[in-house]
Amino acid sequence: MLTKERQDLIVSYINEKNAVTVAELMEEFGASAATIRRDLAVLHDEKRIIKVFGGATSISDTDVNTFEPSVSAKAALNIHEKEAISKYAASLINDDDFVYIDSGTTTLEMIKYITNTRAKYITNGIVHAKKLLEKGLNTMIIGGRCKPTTEAIIGPDCIEGISKYHFTKAFMGTNGISLHAGYTTPDVDEALVKQEAVKHAYVSYILADHSKFGKVSSVTFAEIPNCCIITDSEVSKNYSSKTIIKNVNEEKK
């Protein structure tokens, strides 16, 4: 099969499926991983598909975001939804838990509702650490490079620090949730930190309002089954068949 012919077929296949993995394309077209990745890179540059970590998505059917809004901009979005999600998340903390709190506006909101003083808390959020200390909670902060737009600590030193711990619970933020791309964020360095935190947690919770579903950012940090989801509205059964999802508003109906 000629390269151009294969690439045209790949675009058609992605448009039909909405999102695919490199492994799927390898099987479908009988090509090596290196060949598929080269094709995806070319098609991405031609703006015919969107290349994401581990695969690709359709431009027409998937909202792919590479822009990271400021903390203040994100804090102003879906305020009531974040409040309901964060209240429920905080209620999950038990005595003697060792809790990782990811940087992000919903996880920051969660700190307002934390009442457990026996648990230990560790975070890569600069403001998060300050808020935890103000509440008199047992607080640790991971060392590393500071990212101004998200006020998060990232980088190799941060990842190395996280790798030494084993959390009972991790509360994570995300920019997008997709069946095929998983949980995503625009920044590679931040994704690597999130990935390490999820890897070292007994159970991880994604705190995400309804607007995050069906969206894809540049980098995947975890697959859908790797985390539970706390959200504010009913989601497709395609998601609930892959992981545990708590709709914080279901009891109000």
Side-chain angles (χ1 to χ4, degrees):
M1 184 183 297
L2 297 174
T3 299
K4 182 67 168 61
E5 180 186 357
R6 183 181 61 250
Q7 290 175 353
D8 288 342
L9 290 171
I10 286 174
V11 172
S12 297
Y13 186 78
I14 292 172
N15 286 338
E16 178 186 347
K17 299 289 187 178
N18 295 339
V20 298
T21 65
V22 169
E24 284 180 70
L25 294 172
M26 288 169 60
E27 182 176 352
E28 180 69 19
F29 296 100
S32 68
T35 296
I36 293 297
R37 289 193 179 98
R38 280 196 299 269
D39 287 342
L40 294 181
V42 170
L43 294 169
H44 178 86
D45 290 342
E46 292 176 353
K47 302 189 184 303
R48 298 177 67 190
I49 55 98
I50 299 292
K51 182 166 67 97
V52 297
F53 187 79
T57 61
S58 165
I59 287 178
S60 59
D61 293 324
T62 307
D63 182 6
V64 179
N65 180 29
T66 59
F67 173 68
E68 180 75 73
S70 66
V71 172
S72 58
K74 288 192 288 187
L77 300 173
N78 302 316
I79 295 172
H80 298 300
E81 291 86 345
K82 289 177 180 177
E83 181 181 81
I85 291 166
S86 59
K87 277 184 179 179
Y88 178 81
S91 74
L92 298 176
I93 299 172
N94 299 319
D95 291 352
D96 303 321
D97 265 339
F98 185 26
V99 179
Y100 180 85
I101 301 179
D102 186 28
S103 61
T105 54
T106 309
T107 52
L108 182 61
E109 180 74 9
M110 169 188 164
I111 294 173
K112 291 182 185 178
Y113 305 103
I114 292 177
T115 58
N116 195 305
T117 57
R118 293 191 62 185
K120 295 180 180 179
Y121 302 90
I122 186 166
T123 183
N124 74 320
I126 298 168
V127 179
H128 295 57
K130 183 174 183 293
K131 294 294 183 183
L132 288 165
L133 287 171
E134 287 173 352
K135 298 195 74 168
L137 300 174
N138 189 331
T139 305
M140 299 172 64
I141 189 167
I142 298 289
R145 177 167 61 86
C146 298
K147 181 181 175 184
T149 54
T150 57
E151 299 176 356
I153 296 173
I154 57 174
D157 291 337
C158 181
I159 294 168
E160 183 180 356
I162 291 173
S163 70
K164 298 175 182 178
Y165 298 108
H166 300 278
F167 314 113
T168 56
K169 294 182 176 79
F171 295 93
M172 310 297 299
T174 189
N175 291 71
I177 303 175
S178 162
L179 288 170
H180 295 278
Y183 308 106
T184 57
T185 190
D187 185 89
V188 172
D189 289 332
E190 201 150 3
L192 291 173
V193 171
K194 291 175 183 287
Q195 183 181 67
E196 194 71 13
V198 170
K199 178 181 174 183
H200 285 265
Y202 179 72
V203 60
S204 297
Y205 298 95
I206 298 289
L207 279 53
D209 65 71
H210 62 276
S211 69
K212 302 293 180 67
F213 287 87
K215 292 190 176 180
V216 178
S217 284
S218 303
V219 191
T220 298
F221 64 86
E223 301 301 326
I224 296 295
N226 296 151
C227 307
C228 303
I229 301 173
I230 304 174
T231 189
D232 64 292
S233 65
E234 188 174 347
V235 299
S236 166
K237 290 182 180 179
N238 291 330
Y239 288 97
S240 57
S241 66
K242 292 182 179 292
T243 191
I244 297 170
I245 299 179
K246 171 62 179 178
N247 171 8
V248 296
N249 290 322
E250 62 185 356
E251 296 171 2
K252 299 178 182 179
K253 295 179 180 179

